[in-house]
Amino acid sequence: MTRNADGSEAPADEEPFLVAASLSGAADAEWARGAAEHVDVALLGGVALDPASRAAARDLVARGRSEFLPADPLAFVADQLDALADAPVRPGVNVRSATPEPVREAARVCADRGAVCEVNAHCRQPELRAVGCGESLLREPERLARYVAAAAGTGATTSVKVRAEVPGVDLVAVAERVAAAGADWLHVDAMDAEAVIADLAVAGDADDLADLTLVANNGVRGRETVAEYAGHGADAVSVGRPTEDPPVLARVADAVEEWRAGTLRRREDETGPEPEVRP
């Protein structure tokens, strides 16, 4: 059980639920408020915490990518979460670091506010991988487990953002390792391998991952894709770019509400592919 900033107990999110996934350089408190009508959780960030990850983020900005680069990243995390104290959404923050200790410090900020701390083992930009952040952690599950243990040890709800289809990476084995280290959620970018969600769910049925909430990400655009991930055994779904497209976000939220109510079915008139998010 997590706690609010005043010390009162914050209830766990009712499953299934909808997550607004972090968008580099865009997912701040204002963005979260814009999505709050439709989502249950909003993950801010990603935020580079330590000198190595911040240097990599500056290199990304130099080649045109948006990144958060406040002078004091921990103060930024605290200020952004505090700005959502009265918002009807549970906040969290996706963080990057080349070492575990800054993750622990960020998780303490999250724990004090009943927020989720999400360890980024997902970003695949060469600059971040070169300093040991993001996707590189998937190839070093023991190191990733140390990050997770550092965050979980603060009492913060701890999510791990991962991606499928990384050569040489057994995602089920990674999931088992982070679950043992204390992860609460596994946030999976399924890429073009949606069935990986089923593989992880089956492992959960075998008790290895029984307590891990499985959040499915990638291509979620409406009832059809929500139903697909639900059928694969996901506990929740997340959306990134659709948070900036209100009609798509509303359509996904309606589908998740039907899922929660036990009435999620593909409608007979939905015979074609769901519309893509506008660029």
Side-chain angles (χ1 to χ4, degrees):
M1 177 72 72
T2 58
R3 291 188 176 274
N4 295 311
D6 63 2
S8 61
E9 289 187 345
D13 299 291
E14 180 183 358
E15 296 178 4
F17 55 93
L18 177 57
V19 178
S22 60
L23 295 172
S24 177
D28 58 7
E30 182 179 0
W31 163 87
R33 282 189 176 276
E37 177 184 355
H38 299 295
V39 305
D40 304 292
V41 180
L43 297 174
L44 313 184
V47 179
L49 298 175
D50 70 328
S53 61
R54 288 169 62 77
R58 285 192 292 272
D59 288 342
L60 291 172
V61 169
R63 65 177 175 89
R65 184 177 166 93
S66 295
E67 292 288 336
F68 292 116
L69 280 169
D72 184 337
L74 289 177
F76 175 77
V77 169
D79 289 346
Q80 290 291 299
L81 294 177
D82 288 344
L84 293 169
D86 62 346
V89 66
R90 186 180 185 189
V93 60
N94 176 289
V95 295
R96 308 172 186 141
S97 178
T99 55
E101 187 56 34
V103 174
R104 190 191 321 274
E105 296 303 317
R108 287 193 179 110
V109 174
C110 293
D112 288 345
R113 294 159 174 79
V116 179
C117 182
E118 181 166 88
V119 177
N120 186 316
H122 171 264
C123 285
R124 57 182 173 180
Q125 288 74 25
E127 294 90 341
L128 290 166
R129 288 190 284 114
V131 298
C133 293
E135 184 187 286
S136 66
L137 287 164
L138 296 178
R139 294 189 171 88
E140 299 181 66
E142 291 303 317
R143 187 162 69 93
L144 175 57
R146 291 196 291 273
Y147 284 54
V148 172
T154 69
T157 296
T158 301
S159 176
V160 185
K161 181 76 178 289
V162 302
R163 71 167 66 248
E165 298 191 316
V166 178
V169 171
D170 180 343
L171 207 51
V172 171
V174 170
E176 291 171 349
R177 190 66 194 87
V178 300
D184 299 292
W185 299 359
L186 191 73
H187 187 180
V188 184
D189 182 345
M191 303 296 286
D192 293 319
E194 290 82 359
V196 71
I197 301 298
D199 295 339
L200 291 160
V202 167
D205 290 340
D207 291 333
D208 294 328
L209 307 176
D211 297 327
L212 199 61
T213 295
L214 189 56
V215 182
N217 170 266
N218 194 277
V220 178
R221 299 292 183 266
R223 183 175 290 101
E224 182 176 348
T225 44
V226 171
E228 180 180 12
Y229 282 127
H232 283 315
D235 300 303
V237 292
S238 78
V239 289
R241 292 299 171 195
T243 59
E244 299 178 329
D245 192 322
V248 176
L249 183 58
R251 187 169 66 230
V252 172
D254 288 345
V256 172
E257 185 58 39
E258 291 181 22
W259 184 12
R260 188 178 291 133
T263 60
L264 180 61
R265 300 287 186 276
R266 184 178 177 183
R267 291 180 178 172
E268 293 182 0
D269 60 352
E270 289 185 346
T271 55
E274 290 166 344
E276 291 295 321
V277 176
R278 294 188 296 271

